[in-house]
Structure formats: C-alpha cells, structure tokens
Amino acid sequence: MSLSLSDSRYGRSGVRLLKLNRRGDRHEVRDLTVDVAFEGDFGASLREGDNRAILPTDSIQNAVLALARDHAAGEIEEFALELARHFLEQVETLSRARVRVTEQAWQRIESHGRPHDHAFARGGTDRRIAHVEQSRNERASLIEAGIEGLALMKTRHAGFAGYLRDRYTTLAETEERILAAELNAHWRYGWAEIPYAVHYRQVRQVLLDTFAAHDSRSVQHTLYAMARAALEQVPPVVEVRLRLPSQPPKPVDLRPFGMENTGEVFVPSEEPHGVMEAVVRRDDLA
Amino acid sequence: MSLSLSDSRYGRSGVRLLKLNRRGDRHEVRDLTVDVAFEGDFGASLREGDNRAILPTDSIQNAVLALARDHAAGEIEEFALELARHFLEQVETLSRARVRVTEQAWQRIESHGRPHDHAFARGGTDRRIAHVEQSRNERASLIEAGIEGLALMKTRHAGFAGYLRDRYTTLAETEERILAAELNAHWRYGWAEIPYAVHYRQVRQVLLDTFAAHDSRSVQHTLYAMARAALEQVPPVVEVRLRLPSQPPKPVDLRPFGMENTGEVFVPSEEPHGVMEAVVRRDDLA
Amino acid sequence: MSLSLSDSRYGRSGVRLLKLNRRGDRHEVRDLTVDVAFEGDFGASLREGDNRAILPTDSIQNAVLALARDHAAGEIEEFALELARHFLEQVETLSRARVRVTEQAWQRIESHGRPHDHAFARGGTDRRIAHVEQSRNERASLIEAGIEGLALMKTRHAGFAGYLRDRYTTLAETEERILAAELNAHWRYGWAEIPYAVHYRQVRQVLLDTFAAHDSRSVQHTLYAMARAALEQVPPVVEVRLRLPSQPPKPVDLRPFGMENTGEVFVPSEEPHGVMEAVVRRDDLA
Amino acid sequence: MSLSLSDSRYGRSGVRLLKLNRRGDRHEVRDLTVDVAFEGDFGASLREGDNRAILPTDSIQNAVLALARDHAAGEIEEFALELARHFLEQVETLSRARVRVTEQAWQRIESHGRPHDHAFARGGTDRRIAHVEQSRNERASLIEAGIEGLALMKTRHAGFAGYLRDRYTTLAETEERILAAELNAHWRYGWAEIPYAVHYRQVRQVLLDTFAAHDSRSVQHTLYAMARAALEQVPPVVEVRLRLPSQPPKPVDLRPFGMENTGEVFVPSEEPHGVMEAVVRRDDLA
C-alpha cells in the first residue's frame, strides 16, 4: 500500500516562564506560556525512526527559557519573532516555525494609595496572545496579536428578532435581552516593528467600546461591528478574526410561585452555547 | 448488626443566578452561586425511604431563585442569612441550615474615559464568599466572609532559612526568593448587621497590604502576619482562617548553556505545592 | 490584642509519582498522588518566623519519592502508613501526620487476546484512596480507604415521591426516574495489617451491587443501603462515609414539536446538583 | 474602507443528551454531546443585523434533541449524517453543515458475575467521535470517526537517540524510556453505509496493538506506525490524522539521598509536553 504524509509537525507546548525585571527597587514581572511548533520534512523520522532531523522538544524548551533571559522583557510579539528566527537558523530541517506566546497579566497591588513596587496580584481572566509564523522561504513573518477568554455582558441595547423559524423554533423574539459572550479575538498586523503593546491596548479598547455602544440585533451583528471598528480605527490591523461563544442568561419563570420577574433574576449558563465566528479583512491589503 | 447514623446532611449546590438591578439607565449586576445544606433528623428517609421530612433539592433551588428577586441586590451576607432563616422556618425537620453565597465580580467597561452604564467585563479570578450557619435553637448566626482564589506574588523581602533539615533536605537556604501563593481567607464576624461590603473591602485591603509589606521568613510567617493585621485593624472580625497553597517559582539553571541567570528567569508551577493553614482568633471573644 | 492560634498545619500536596515494578518482562505500574499534612506546635514559625521546627515541604516531597522506591509497590495503605511513621520519627515537632495516597488505575492493553506485558491504558475515572492519620501519642493509626469520582446511573427501580412540599415545590412525584450520582465513599477499618486490596475490591463491589439492586425511594435511601451493605458484608469495615452528588437527567419536553417523549431522551446535567451525605457506623465499635 | 468577510460560521456547541433504549428489562444508554456548525452566506446578518437567514441556535439544539428520539440509538455517524442532512434541507441559506457527535461510554455494572440490565458506571476517560460535513452542492459527505483523550503508556521498547543537537540540548540519549502519550486519532472513511461501530473497534484495537508492539525510536516513529497499521488493516479507512501530546515520566534522581534509582520511581507530568501530529493517507484514494 502506498501512503503519503502531510501536515506533519511537532513541537513543545505549555512552556511556562516568569521573567522578572529589576529596575532598582521597582520590579516588573511577565508571566508567559510558550508553544512552539515545527514544520518541515520529518519523513525519515516518522517512517524509519531516523531522528537526525529532529531537535528534541526538551531542547526547544531549553531554548525558550534561555532566550527568555534577554528577550522576554519586551513585547511578546518580538519575543515570539526572536524564537521563530532562532529555530529556523538553528534547525536546517525546518521549513516553518510557529510560536505562540500567551501572557497572563499580573497587576501591582494597590497599597496605601499607590501601586506597590514588588507585590502583585493576578489580573483578570483574559490572556494576551502573540502568534508568529515564519517560513524559511518568505521574508515576511505572519504576526498576529490576540485576546482570549474575556467574558463580556451587556444588559441593554441587545435584541434578537426577525430570524428564520422552523418547526423546532420555540424561542421568543425579543428587543431586549442580556448579551453575554466570551471575547476571543485575533488580528493580523500588516507590517512589523510597530509598538505592539500600544496597538494591543488600542484594539482591546476599540473592541470593548464597540461591544458596549452597539445597538445589537444579534451576536453576529455585534461581532461584525467590533471587527470593523478595529480595522477602521487601528491602521496596522489588516485582518480580524473573532469568535464569540455566547449564551444569553435565561429569565427565571417565577409565576409558579405567584411572583413576577420583571427582568431581574436570570440563570447564566455556559453549556450548551452558541458559537459565532468570522474573519473580516481590508480589501486593499488582502 | 446495630448501626448508628451521624453527619447526615443534604442540599443543593451550584445554583447559579444573575441579579440585574435597573436604576434608570444605570444597571448593576451580581453574579452569584449559592450552595445550601440542611442538617436535621433524616433517619426515616435514609433507613426506610420515608421522604416526608425531605424538601426536594429542586425546591431548594426554586426558593433561592425566588428569594433572589427581592434579596439578592444587597449584601451577599444578608441574602445568605435570609435564605437560612427562610429554610428553618419552612422546613420543620431542619435543625440547622448552611448557606454559602459566592460572588464573581463584573466590572464596568471603561469606555471613552468613564465606566459604562450597562456593559461589563468579568473581573479578576478571585471570588467573594459569604457563609452563614443558622441553628434552630441558637439565636445567633455564624456569619463568615471570605475571599478565594486570588493569586499573589512578591518578588522581594521573602526568604526561607534556618529550617529543620533531614536526610532528604536538598533545598538551599535563601534570603531572597519569589513568594507566590493563592490567597484563601475566611473570617468570622462577632456580630451581625454591619456594613458587610465595607468590611469585606477593609479585610481584603489589609491582607494585601500586609502581604506586600511583610518581611517574610516563610509562608507561615506571612500568613500569621496577615491574619493578625486583619484582626487588629477591622474590629468586627473575631477569627481569621487562612489557607495559602504556594509554590515558589524556580530559577532556571542556565549554566549548561554558558549563561548566567541572575534572578531573571523562573519556572512557575502549580503542582506539587506547599499548603499552609492556620486559624487565628481574638482571645477575649473566643 | 491577645491572639490565639489553632488548627495550624502545613504540608505538601499533589506529589506525583509513577512506580514501575519489573518482574522480568512483565511490568507493573502504579500511578500515585500523595498529599502530606503535618500538625504540631508551629507557633514560633508563625509568630516570629523562627523556622527551626519546620521541615521544608520540598524535603517532604523528596522523602515521598525516596520512600516510594522501596514502599510504593505494595498496598497504598501500607505506603501511607510508612510515610506517616517516617515523618513522626524524623520530625520531633510533629504531633500528628496525615497522609493521603490517591491511585489512578492503569489497565493492561488487551492485545491479540491477552493482557500485554508492558503496555497500558488509563483505567476509568475513579480513583482509589488511602488515608492515614498517625498521632505521636496514640499507638493506633486511623486507616481509611476510599473511592472517589465514579459516575453511576440506574435507569429502573428509582423513584422519588411522598416528599415535603412548600410553596416553591414544582417537582412532580415519580415512581420511575433515572438516578445518576457520583460515588464518593470512604470507610474506616477497625484494625490494621489486613489485605487492603482484597477489602477495597470487596467494598467497591458491595457498593455497586447494592446501587444496582436497590429499589430506591430517594438518593438518601440508596446511600444508606449502600453503606449498610458494606458494613454488613465486609467485617473489617467499622464506619462508612458516603457522599453522592447527584442530578437526575431531565426528560426533554418534545410536545412543542408535536412529538411524544416516552422516557427516551433526557438532558444530563452536572450543575446545579443535589448533595447527600451521611456517616454510618457499627455501634459495637464506635 | 472596503472590507471583505470570510469563514463566517455559527452554530450550537455542547448539546448534551442521554438516549435511553428500553428492550424489555434490558436497557441501553448513550451519553452524547453534539456540536453543530453552519456555513453559508450570513453577510446580511453580520453587516446589517438582518436575521432572516439565521436559524436561532436555540432551534438547532431543539432539533438535535427532537431528532435524537428516533435517530440517536444507532451509530453516532448515522445520527450525525441525519442531523447534517436535516439542517441542509430545512435551512436554505446554508451551504454546509458540520456535525460532531461525542460519545462518552457507560459500562454495565458487573454484579453477581454478570452485566446488570439497567445499572451502569461511566467507562474510561476516552471519547468516541463522529464528525460529518455535508455540503449542499456535493453528494458525498465527509465522514470521520475518532477517539480522543485515551492516555497510553509503554514501559519497554521505547528509546530516543541519534537526534539533532544544538547548544541547548542537554537531554541524554536513551534506549529505554517510558513512552507516555495521549491518543487523539481521527480517520476518514472512503465510503458511507458501513458498520461504523465495527470499524471503530477495529481501528481502536489496531492503534493499541501497534502502540504496544512497536519498537519505538521516537513518538513520531510510533505515531506513523499506528497510522499505517490502521490504513493497512481496516479497508474503509483512507486517511488517518494522529495527534499525540506526550511527556516521558522523568526518573527521580535519588543519589542526593544515597540511594540508587534503577528505573523504578518516575515523576509523571502533563505540562509542558511535546506534541506530535501527522496525517497519513492512501495514495490511490487521495
């Protein structure tokens, strides 16, 4: 039987590291998780167990930790780029390196009215993402930034009506419901060497502003408005991918208890949930 | 064979609810999870399947949701008390009701420089707890407040030395390490009808201030200082129970790569971890 | 302010280890997680940061791993006893050691009709537990065994009727529902040096047999029958503690779609859930 | 700014259901989780909030539960196909429907030497998957089966040597290590209307047999051997995609305690881990 091989890749996931920067008494911490994946011709390894083209994943982890010393203090996008280039240079058998860096924020403890120099509490549930892909044969890198895991909710200006109905449709149309969704956004930058942290904060803020202000006719409708706003207001962004798992909290029926529920008590739920996703990009740059 | 029965209890856990308060255009949301446990004489139910003393846990959930309409907007301690008293009144067979209310914070989205009226993002990873126990035969209730799941870290003024050594001790003494622990604190109030939210914020702040400022010789040492400060600075608090799972991030050994690591790159870890706990109380009130 | 201290304890949790026993070509593996907690007079450590009575939790972990070499191949109860005695002997400041060993089963892969010598797949979701407490001043140890996390379901001979009703009761009485619960059982042995693995399998089997055969009038009713059967049928067992989080799968209402649901389609759910627990013991030995 | 839209899809995830089949006194249960995703022209919904092409995800869930009554008792692949065709027929705006059905096994409790008629315990940690994609314009469906989440381990005949080394390589070559990986396999069938359950068991068995018997020079090496065996031994399979997150348990260094560790005590670990994946297909059918 003749067999062909595709999409073979390998790497190391979940490399955790904490980078401490001491600027005199004022410390800074970065809490990072790094995933590295290699693509290339690994046929001999797979077919014959010939490992000569395989750098151990243990070495990948060591490189991440070693390079973190000098490169993890800056932008996570630059650290990801540094890692991707390092691996392409060191490992001749690679055709492509993918590096994803996830940052979990820590905030300075506010103590006696000011941010503490060296004491921190973990920030919110959301994570900042940098994702880089670098091919040996292409000069340009793919550079994406993202935000994952931020639960959002708006309690006005969100309706859902005028939809398609089939025999299994029992949902009531509404002009006012609670829209609750988890924000997962990734966006691609059109060029490199930009102030990534500045743009990350801009995109995050535009997404939140639009979510809050939008007069929502559906989750999809708000999703598109958010993606569009990011593209229009943050010039280096050329493509936005949004994924919004969502489940509207259900009003509790209190009538069996002789009570009315005028939109006060809801049951929130995580499962099952709707999932909406789309990619929006600028035509001129696609 | 003669058998005796003890510690029989039952209840409903994980009742989720969202309470929306509309004050004109300005909305407030409370995201609560309620656990209810009943103690009493349930022997006939257990031994013979005679359910006459058993209120279904489904009814417990219904009561939590129904009472939430009028009682979930205020302090979670008061909602817990209301629920405990309700169940003791309704269910004659109960000798004791325990109610725990967990609040997950949502923060207003900051938009165009000010907190939005009706759009919210989930707050941090920590949860505020109210725990109430009410017995039929005691007038006073046990009222506890708590905070769970807040990851803390300090990068200076934390050492660990002078400890007991046995043949399995390889740990190096240090005057400076990173102290990373998860804060789980519960405290008992000496009397009721106090401004719970105010005291919650006070205790939380005192715990964080002390953690940040303490010259730590061990996790235990800092734990005690935190509990003591809460007792000394917040009068209604008569007892503090602290539990601090902790694992110091390990410095990465970069010498195999010809590099030095001068306290810059660490590997954080969650498992395995140390666990320290203690209860500290005011003698005069015990 | 005069403060008193109680319930201070510390230890190491989540120590993971894999013990491989080679009996020629036939290998055996044990996948264990060990939690150790120390009680004693740690006041000086807490109050003054004097660590002389504190064995580092890192040393506790090292001892667990080192003692595993010679003691982790046998019964987990014996390994737990060995660890508890070791720590009391080594650390003079301890008054009591608690050791919990959790075993995650691996099963031999069935290959070509027979169990393989050295290839394994993880077994079910349930975990076997050994819990030991040893005090310096008591000769006898507390020895408990347990099973946690085993999801059970029975689709006949389970009803729930005749219960207490209040104004929030909407649940319909039923003579036939699906009883779904997670089994968490712990039992105490009246004496040591017994064949623990044999008794573990006996108790597990009795609990499952009783669950399957019982004509259940409530979760509590079945819980008691299970505990009673274990006490009656396995002589060294003197006390059983059972905890059964449960949530009956709800029949789906298909009438809005012009269909009948004659007990065929249900929605299972984990949250919210009922929790029932009780301790049953033999009178003559209490 | 001119924007283009791609990859827009929406659906419902995590629809849980339990299907009970009564064959007289002998009951059968299937515990399923269904994810449905729709692709089509949803531009008007996204851009203008015009929902006329949008079937609510609530209706999707209702359809899954309603169709489960008559179709969830058989093969999960057929249930997935039925759902995909149903949605394409009902919703004109769809170009493509994707349905994934995940089955969590329950096993009959063995009681008094035989499998019980109506009492069950949850099976292993692995899940059986059926994944179907049906386009409006293509007659053929994509039908995939899979297994996810099965932890495997082999303690002999697994080495890793002869690999590429860089300056960060410290890993020692070994002819004998423990290979521990989680099996995640998905395979595509070349034609429909086959006995899916039979082939599922065949592929599962071939994967396990090969894992157990293989003389492994690397995780990749074993991965390929497993995929190849499935393709060679189960004719309807035309493509296999394997993903094996893995982390070899590390031998504990007992020398600091004056002890030797001759391959007996290991520390298993989940994070960080290597990830290997590849797709292997039959050339003649690609």
Side-chain angles (χ1 to χ4, degrees):
Chain A
M1 185 182 287
S2 166
L3 301 176
S4 71
L5 190 60
S6 64
D7 293 327
S8 78
R9 67 176 68 171
Y10 82 97
R12 187 83 160 186
S13 283
V15 178
R16 299 273 295 115
L17 73 92
L18 193 74
K19 177 73 172 74
L20 174 58
N21 305 314
R22 294 184 170 86
R23 305 188 174 180
D25 284 354
R26 192 159 183 89
H27 289 186
E28 284 177 1
V29 290
R30 309 209 73 172
D31 182 339
L32 306 180
T33 303
V34 180
D35 305 319
V36 176
F38 289 173
E39 294 175 22
D41 179 5
F42 307 127
S45 152
L46 284 150
R47 289 198 177 90
E48 291 128 48
D50 174 344
N51 294 323
R52 281 176 295 176
I54 303 295
L55 184 73
T57 67
D58 189 75
S59 304
I60 297 175
Q61 174 171 359
N62 287 344
V64 169
L65 295 173
L67 274 72
R69 198 195 61 171
D70 297 328
H71 299 283
E75 308 276 0
I76 56 175
E77 287 83 357
E78 283 165 1
F79 181 39
L81 277 166
E82 187 67 33
L83 286 168
R85 286 171 189 154
H86 166 83
F87 288 120
L88 278 173
E89 205 172 284
Q90 292 292 309
V91 190
E92 281 181 18
T93 49
L94 294 199
S95 61
R96 194 177 183 81
R98 299 163 182 259
V99 179
R100 178 185 154 105
V101 178
T102 303
E103 178 170 11
Q104 167 67 54
W106 289 78
Q107 292 168 343
R108 293 180 187 281
I109 290 175
E110 290 280 326
S111 191
H112 304 295
R114 61 186 202 81
H116 199 276
D117 271 357
H118 58 261
F120 306 86
R122 189 168 293 164
T125 55
D126 52 311
R127 303 171 296 278
R128 177 180 167 190
I129 312 289
H131 178 82
V132 161
E133 296 185 20
Q134 177 74 52
S135 294
R136 185 172 300 283
N137 302 323
E138 293 164 29
R139 282 203 50 188
S141 316
L142 174 81
I143 306 173
E144 279 190 358
I147 178 170
E148 294 184 354
L150 181 58
L152 300 177
M153 176 161 58
K154 63 187 289 178
T155 56
R156 288 187 69 197
H157 299 310
F160 187 45
Y163 42 74
L164 191 63
R165 308 185 73 91
D166 68 2
R167 63 178 289 212
Y168 299 116
T169 301
T170 54
L171 188 73
E173 308 203 10
T174 176
E175 292 305 317
E176 202 67 281
R177 61 172 180 173
I178 298 180
L179 197 165
E182 188 186 86
L183 175 62
N184 295 282
H186 299 84
W187 54 91
R188 193 154 58 82
Y189 290 118
W191 52 93
E193 293 176 38
I194 54 174
Y196 297 104
V198 171
H199 291 310
Y200 173 78
R201 283 192 301 269
Q202 283 174 340
V203 174
R204 188 184 196 278
Q205 188 61 50
V206 168
L207 293 172
L208 294 185
D209 285 349
T210 309
F211 174 83
H214 192 240
D215 200 355
S216 173
R217 296 185 192 170
S218 70
V219 177
Q220 287 94 326
H221 188 214
T222 299
L223 178 154
Y224 184 82
M226 292 165 77
R228 176 183 180 144
L231 285 159
E232 287 180 347
Q233 295 177 36
V234 188
V237 174
V238 296
E239 182 181 290
V240 176
R241 182 161 37 95
L242 276 173
R243 189 170 164 279
L244 299 180
S246 70
Q247 178 69 311
K250 280 188 207 157
V252 179
D253 183 3
L254 299 177
R255 289 170 303 177
F257 320 130
M259 297 166 71
E260 238 190 318
N261 181 7
T262 55
E264 290 160 286
V265 187
F266 299 80
V267 172
S269 164
E270 268 108 54
E271 293 283 347
H273 54 267
V275 182
M276 320 297 168
E277 50 187 310
V279 176
V280 186
R281 72 172 65 85
R282 296 169 57 176
D283 269 342
D284 48 348
L285 286 167
Chain B
M1 185 181 287
S2 166
L3 300 176
S4 70
L5 191 59
S6 64
D7 293 328
S8 77
R9 67 177 68 172
Y10 82 97
R12 186 83 158 186
S13 283
V15 178
R16 299 272 295 116
L17 73 92
L18 194 73
K19 178 73 173 72
L20 174 58
N21 305 314
R22 295 184 169 85
R23 306 188 174 181
D25 285 354
R26 192 158 183 91
H27 289 185
E28 283 177 2
V29 290
R30 309 210 72 173
D31 182 338
L32 306 181
T33 303
V34 180
D35 305 319
V36 176
F38 287 174
E39 294 175 23
D41 179 4
F42 308 126
S45 152
L46 285 149
R47 290 199 176 89
E48 292 129 45
D50 174 344
N51 295 322
R52 281 176 295 175
I54 302 294
L55 184 73
T57 66
D58 189 74
S59 304
I60 298 175
Q61 175 171 359
N62 286 344
V64 169
L65 295 173
L67 273 72
R69 198 196 60 171
D70 297 328
H71 299 283
E75 306 277 359
I76 57 175
E77 286 83 358
E78 284 166 359
F79 181 40
L81 277 166
E82 187 66 34
L83 287 168
R85 287 171 188 151
H86 165 83
F87 289 119
L88 279 173
E89 206 172 282
Q90 292 292 310
V91 190
E92 281 180 20
T93 49
L94 294 199
S95 60
R96 194 179 183 80
R98 298 163 183 258
V99 180
R100 178 184 154 106
V101 179
T102 304
E103 178 171 11
Q104 167 66 54
W106 288 80
Q107 292 167 343
R108 293 180 188 282
I109 289 175
E110 291 279 329
S111 192
H112 304 294
R114 61 185 201 80
H116 199 276
D117 269 358
H118 59 260
F120 306 86
R122 189 169 292 163
T125 54
D126 52 314
R127 303 171 296 278
R128 177 180 166 190
I129 312 289
H131 178 83
V132 161
E133 296 186 20
Q134 178 75 52
S135 293
R136 184 172 301 282
N137 302 323
E138 292 164 30
R139 283 202 48 187
S141 316
L142 172 81
I143 305 173
E144 278 190 359
I147 177 170
E148 294 185 353
L150 181 58
L152 300 176
M153 176 161 58
K154 62 187 289 179
T155 55
R156 288 188 69 198
H157 300 309
F160 187 46
Y163 42 74
L164 190 63
R165 309 186 72 92
D166 68 0
R167 64 178 289 211
Y168 300 116
T169 300
T170 55
L171 187 74
E173 308 202 9
T174 175
E175 292 305 316
E176 201 67 280
R177 61 171 179 173
I178 297 180
L179 196 166
E182 188 185 85
L183 175 62
N184 295 282
H186 299 84
W187 53 93
R188 193 154 59 82
Y189 290 119
W191 52 92
E193 293 177 37
I194 54 174
Y196 298 104
V198 171
H199 291 311
Y200 174 77
R201 283 193 300 270
Q202 284 174 341
V203 174
R204 188 184 196 278
Q205 187 63 49
V206 168
L207 294 172
L208 294 186
D209 285 350
T210 310
F211 175 82
H214 193 240
D215 200 357
S216 172
R217 295 185 193 171
S218 71
V219 177
Q220 286 94 326
H221 188 214
T222 299
L223 179 154
Y224 183 83
M226 292 165 76
R228 176 181 181 147
L231 286 159
E232 288 180 346
Q233 296 177 36
V234 189
V237 174
V238 296
E239 182 181 290
V240 177
R241 182 162 36 94
L242 277 173
R243 190 171 163 276
L244 299 180
S246 70
Q247 178 68 311
K250 280 188 207 158
V252 179
D253 183 2
L254 299 177
R255 288 169 305 178
F257 320 131
M259 297 165 73
E260 240 189 319
N261 180 7
T262 55
E264 289 160 286
V265 187
F266 298 80
V267 172
S269 163
E270 268 109 53
E271 292 285 348
H273 54 267
V275 182
M276 320 296 168
E277 50 188 308
V279 176
V280 186
R281 73 173 64 85
R282 295 168 57 175
D283 269 343
D284 47 348
L285 286 168
Chain C
M1 185 180 287
S2 166
L3 300 176
S4 70
L5 190 58
S6 64
D7 293 328
S8 77
R9 68 177 66 169
Y10 82 97
R12 186 82 159 187
S13 282
V15 178
R16 299 272 294 115
L17 73 92
L18 194 73
K19 178 72 173 75
L20 174 58
N21 305 314
R22 294 184 169 86
R23 304 186 175 182
D25 284 354
R26 193 158 182 90
H27 289 184
E28 284 177 1
V29 291
R30 309 209 73 173
D31 182 339
L32 307 180
T33 303
V34 181
D35 305 320
V36 176
F38 288 173
E39 294 176 22
D41 180 5
F42 308 127
S45 152
L46 285 150
R47 289 198 177 90
E48 291 129 46
D50 174 344
N51 295 322
R52 281 176 296 175
I54 303 294
L55 184 72
T57 67
D58 188 74
S59 304
I60 297 175
Q61 175 171 358
N62 287 344
V64 169
L65 295 174
L67 273 73
R69 199 196 59 171
D70 297 329
H71 300 283
E75 307 277 359
I76 56 174
E77 287 83 357
E78 283 165 0
F79 182 39
L81 277 166
E82 187 67 34
L83 286 168
R85 287 171 188 152
H86 165 83
F87 289 120
L88 279 173
E89 205 172 283
Q90 292 291 310
V91 189
E92 281 180 20
T93 50
L94 293 198
S95 60
R96 194 178 183 81
R98 298 163 183 258
V99 179
R100 179 185 153 106
V101 178
T102 303
E103 178 170 11
Q104 168 66 53
W106 288 80
Q107 291 166 345
R108 293 181 188 280
I109 289 174
E110 291 280 328
S111 191
H112 305 293
R114 60 185 203 82
H116 199 276
D117 271 357
H118 59 261
F120 306 86
R122 189 169 293 164
T125 54
D126 51 313
R127 303 172 296 278
R128 177 180 166 191
I129 311 290
H131 178 83
V132 161
E133 296 186 20
Q134 178 73 53
S135 293
R136 183 172 302 283
N137 302 322
E138 292 164 30
R139 281 203 50 187
S141 316
L142 173 81
I143 306 174
E144 279 190 358
I147 177 170
E148 295 185 352
L150 181 58
L152 300 177
M153 176 161 58
K154 63 186 287 179
T155 56
R156 287 188 70 198
H157 299 310
F160 187 46
Y163 41 74
L164 191 63
R165 308 186 72 91
D166 68 1
R167 64 178 289 212
Y168 300 116
T169 301
T170 54
L171 187 74
E173 308 203 10
T174 176
E175 292 305 317
E176 202 66 278
R177 62 171 179 173
I178 298 181
L179 197 166
E182 188 186 86
L183 174 62
N184 295 283
H186 299 83
W187 54 92
R188 192 152 60 83
Y189 290 119
W191 52 92
E193 292 175 38
I194 54 174
Y196 296 105
V198 171
H199 292 311
Y200 173 78
R201 283 192 301 268
Q202 285 175 340
V203 174
R204 187 183 197 280
Q205 188 62 51
V206 169
L207 293 172
L208 294 185
D209 285 348
T210 310
F211 174 83
H214 193 240
D215 200 357
S216 173
R217 295 185 192 170
S218 70
V219 177
Q220 286 96 325
H221 188 215
T222 299
L223 178 153
Y224 184 82
M226 293 165 75
R228 176 181 180 147
L231 286 158
E232 287 179 347
Q233 296 178 37
V234 188
V237 174
V238 296
E239 182 181 291
V240 176
R241 182 162 35 95
L242 276 174
R243 189 170 163 275
L244 298 181
S246 70
Q247 177 69 310
K250 280 188 207 158
V252 180
D253 184 2
L254 299 177
R255 289 169 304 177
F257 321 131
M259 298 166 72
E260 238 190 320
N261 180 7
T262 55
E264 290 160 286
V265 187
F266 299 80
V267 172
S269 164
E270 267 109 53
E271 293 282 349
H273 54 268
V275 182
M276 320 297 168
E277 50 188 307
V279 175
V280 186
R281 71 172 64 85
R282 296 168 57 176
D283 268 344
D284 48 346
L285 286 167
Chain D
M1 185 181 288
S2 166
L3 301 176
S4 70
L5 191 57
S6 64
D7 293 329
S8 77
R9 68 176 68 169
Y10 82 98
R12 188 82 158 186
S13 281
V15 178
R16 298 274 294 115
L17 73 92
L18 195 72
K19 178 72 173 73
L20 174 59
N21 305 313
R22 294 183 170 86
R23 306 187 174 182
D25 284 354
R26 192 158 182 90
H27 289 185
E28 283 178 3
V29 291
R30 309 208 73 172
D31 182 339
L32 306 181
T33 303
V34 181
D35 305 319
V36 176
F38 288 175
E39 295 175 22
D41 180 5
F42 307 126
S45 153
L46 285 150
R47 290 199 176 91
E48 291 128 46
D50 175 343
N51 295 323
R52 282 176 295 176
I54 303 294
L55 184 73
T57 66
D58 189 73
S59 305
I60 298 175
Q61 175 171 0
N62 287 344
V64 169
L65 295 173
L67 273 72
R69 199 195 59 171
D70 297 328
H71 300 282
E75 306 277 0
I76 56 174
E77 287 82 357
E78 283 165 0
F79 182 38
L81 276 166
E82 187 67 33
L83 287 168
R85 285 170 190 153
H86 166 83
F87 288 121
L88 278 173
E89 206 172 284
Q90 292 291 308
V91 190
E92 281 181 19
T93 49
L94 293 199
S95 60
R96 194 178 183 81
R98 299 163 182 258
V99 179
R100 179 184 153 106
V101 179
T102 303
E103 179 171 11
Q104 167 67 53
W106 288 79
Q107 292 167 343
R108 292 181 188 281
I109 289 175
E110 291 280 328
S111 190
H112 304 295
R114 61 184 201 83
H116 199 277
D117 270 357
H118 58 261
F120 306 86
R122 189 168 294 164
T125 54
D126 52 312
R127 303 171 297 277
R128 176 180 168 192
I129 311 290
H131 177 83
V132 160
E133 296 186 20
Q134 177 73 51
S135 293
R136 185 172 301 284
N137 302 323
E138 293 164 30
R139 283 201 50 187
S141 315
L142 174 81
I143 306 174
E144 279 190 358
I147 177 170
E148 295 184 354
L150 181 57
L152 300 177
M153 175 161 58
K154 63 186 288 179
T155 56
R156 286 188 69 197
H157 299 310
F160 187 44
Y163 41 74
L164 191 63
R165 309 185 72 92
D166 68 0
R167 64 178 289 213
Y168 300 115
T169 302
T170 54
L171 188 73
E173 308 202 11
T174 175
E175 292 305 316
E176 204 66 281
R177 61 171 180 174
I178 297 181
L179 197 166
E182 188 186 85
L183 175 62
N184 295 282
H186 299 84
W187 52 94
R188 192 153 60 82
Y189 290 118
W191 52 94
E193 293 175 38
I194 54 175
Y196 297 105
V198 172
H199 291 311
Y200 173 77
R201 283 192 300 270
Q202 284 175 340
V203 174
R204 188 183 196 279
Q205 189 61 50
V206 168
L207 293 173
L208 294 186
D209 285 349
T210 310
F211 175 83
H214 192 240
D215 200 357
S216 172
R217 296 184 192 172
S218 70
V219 177
Q220 286 96 326
H221 188 213
T222 299
L223 179 154
Y224 184 82
M226 293 165 75
R228 176 182 180 145
L231 286 159
E232 287 179 347
Q233 295 177 37
V234 188
V237 174
V238 296
E239 182 181 290
V240 177
R241 181 161 38 95
L242 277 173
R243 189 170 164 278
L244 298 180
S246 70
Q247 177 69 310
K250 280 187 208 161
V252 179
D253 183 2
L254 299 176
R255 288 170 303 177
F257 320 131
M259 297 166 72
E260 238 189 319
N261 180 7
T262 55
E264 289 160 287
V265 187
F266 298 81
V267 172
S269 164
E270 267 109 54
E271 293 281 350
H273 54 268
V275 182
M276 320 297 167
E277 51 187 308
V279 175
V280 186
R281 72 172 64 86
R282 295 169 56 177
D283 269 343
D284 47 347
L285 285 167

